């Protein structure tokens, strides 16, 4: 007697499921806008970090003189 074949189907992660739903609901333009917005957020954070570092350097230079 031969055993019945076993079918294994991977269950998608929550993130995969959200991305799939997002791709169905959002047009490509909305996805692009969202990606651009996130890129802007990251760039703003980088600039803020650079400003803090520049301020530290200026304060350190001013305290030496």
């Amino acid at each position: 007697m031969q055993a019945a074949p076993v079918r294994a189907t991977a269950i998608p992660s929550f993130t995969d499921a959200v991305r799939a739903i997002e791709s169905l609901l959002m047009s490509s333009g909305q996805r692009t806008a969202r990606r651009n917005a996130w890129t802007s957020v990251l760039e703003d954070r980088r600039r803020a970090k650079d400003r803090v570092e520049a301020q530290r350097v200026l304060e350190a230079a001013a305290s030496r003189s």
Side-chain angles (χ1 to χ4, degrees):
M1 194 148 88
Q2 200 172 18
V6 177
R7 295 181 117 182
T9 304
I11 298 172
S13 70
F14 178 76
T15 304
D16 292 339
V18 169
R19 285 189 181 142
I21 292 169
E22 178 188 43
S23 68
L24 290 172
L25 297 176
M26 295 182 125
S27 71
S28 64
Q30 287 173 320
R31 279 196 303 271
T32 301
R34 197 168 165 188
R35 191 177 312 117
N36 289 344
W38 182 244
T39 301
S40 294
V41 167
L42 295 177
E43 184 62 20
D44 288 345
R45 288 178 182 175
R46 186 194 63 76
R47 281 194 301 264
K49 184 178 173 186
D50 289 347
R51 280 193 303 273
V52 168
E53 182 61 28
Q55 184 65 32
R56 286 184 185 146
V57 169
L58 290 173
E59 288 172 355
S63 67
R64 280 191 242 147
S65 36

